[in-house]
C-alpha cells in the first residue's frame, strides 16, 4: 500500500512510462510494441483506495514495434484503424486494494470504438523525489485481452497449422506518475 502522504493528483510522465503489448507471431515467437501516452492522470487516495481513479489516452498513430512496415499495418483498418479511431482510452470505474502493494483497477477500455470492461492488476513499486524536487510514484502490471473482442479479426492461416497472429494480446504497464502542484 502506498503511504498516505502520496494521496493527491498525478500526471503520468510519458518519457518514463510504458504502455506495451505482446502478441504471438506465427505461434513461435512474441512481438512486443508500445503505444505512447497522449494524456494520463490519476487521483490516489491512500485512506480510501476506492476513491482513487485513473484516466489514460494513448496515441494510436505513435504505435511502435521496431518494424515500420508492421507499425503501418497495425494503424490500418485490419487492426487499430488509427484514421477513424486515433486513441485508445481507459477510464477506471473502481480501484481495489487487494493486499500489500497490490491493487486491481477495473475500468472501461475503448479500442476502435468498442468498449469492454477489464481489470488490471497493478503493484505499487515505490516513490521518489527526483532531482527537480518532484514527487514520483510508480506502478507496474498487466493483463490480457482478446483482440477480436475489439473488432480486430484480421489473420492469416499458416501452412503448418495455426495462425499468424494470436488472438490473445498481453498488455504491460510501467507507470511513473508525477504529483501535480
Amino acid at each position: 500500500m502506498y503511504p498516505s502522504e502520496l494521496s493527491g493528483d498525478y500526471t503520468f510522465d510519458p518519457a518514463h512510462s510504458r504502455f506495451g503489448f505482446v502478441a504471438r507471431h506465427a505461434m513461435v515467437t512474441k512481438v512486443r510494441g508500445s503505444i505512447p501516452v497522449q494524456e494520463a492522470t490519476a487521483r490516489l487516495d491512500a485512506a480510501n483506495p476506492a476513491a482513487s481513479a485513473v484516466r489514460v489516452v494513448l496515441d494510436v498513430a505513435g504505435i511502435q514495434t521496431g518494424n515500420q512496415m508492421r507499425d503501418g499495418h497495425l494503424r490500418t483498418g485490419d487492426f487499430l484503424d488509427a484514421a477513424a479511431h486515433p486513441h485508445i482510452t481507459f477510464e477506471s470505474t473502481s480501484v481495489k486494494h487487494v493486499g500489500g502493494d497490490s491493487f486491481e483497477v477495473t475500468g472501461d477500455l475503448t479500442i476502435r470504438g468498442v468498449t469492454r470492461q477489464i481489470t488490471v492488476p497493478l503493484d505499487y513499486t515505490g516513490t521518489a523525489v527526483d532531482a527537480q524536487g518532484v514527487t514520483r510514484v510508480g506502478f507496474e502490471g498487466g493483463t490480457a485481452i482478446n483482440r477480436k473482442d475489439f473488432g480486430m479479426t484480421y489473420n492469416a492461416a499458416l501452412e503448418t497449422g495455426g495462425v499468424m497472429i494470436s488472438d490473445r494480446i498481453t498488455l504491460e504497464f510501467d507507470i511513473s506518475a508525477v504529483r501535480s502542484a
Side-chain angles (χ1 to χ4, degrees):
M1 180 91 166
Y2 51 89
S4 62
E5 64 269 11
L6 293 180
S7 293
D9 295 327
Y10 289 80
T11 301
F12 290 30
D13 177 356
H16 297 98
S17 296
R18 180 178 179 272
F19 289 83
F21 60 90
V22 181
R24 278 255 173 228
H25 178 263
M27 311 320 298
V28 298
T29 191
K30 294 178 181 177
V31 170
R32 297 180 187 280
S34 63
I35 302 176
V37 175
Q38 180 170 331
E39 170 191 341
T41 57
R43 171 166 293 223
L44 303 180
D45 189 328
N48 180 16
S52 298
V54 178
R55 181 172 187 279
V56 178
V57 179
L58 303 178
D59 179 15
V60 174
I63 194 167
Q64 295 180 2
T65 65
N67 180 290
Q68 287 183 339
M69 190 168 78
R70 179 176 44 233
D71 296 348
H73 190 197
L74 289 172
R75 292 181 190 104
T76 72
D78 285 344
F79 293 99
L80 295 169
D81 196 3
H85 305 284
H87 303 109
I88 293 173
T89 62
F90 177 80
E91 186 108 23
S92 67
T93 56
S94 73
V95 177
K96 181 177 160 185
H97 179 233
V98 294
D101 290 337
S102 297
F103 297 83
E104 288 182 345
V105 179
T106 299
D108 295 328
L109 176 66
T110 302
I111 302 173
R112 291 179 50 112
V114 177
T115 302
R116 300 275 188 253
Q117 187 175 77
I118 66 167
T119 297
V120 180
L122 287 176
D123 292 323
Y124 166 68
T125 57
T127 305
V129 176
D130 67 19
Q132 288 77 37
V134 175
T135 300
R136 291 179 175 272
V137 63
F139 291 90
E140 65 183 14
T143 194
I145 61 169
N146 185 323
R147 66 188 179 90
K148 288 183 175 179
D149 291 344
F150 296 91
M152 292 179 279
T153 59
Y154 173 86
N155 220 332
L158 300 174
E159 284 183 25
T160 56
V163 291
M164 183 65 69
I165 306 153
S166 62
D167 292 341
R168 183 179 194 265
I169 306 297
T170 301
L171 306 178
E172 302 173 327
F173 311 107
D174 294 298
I175 301 162
S176 176
V178 176
R179 182 181 219 141
S180 302

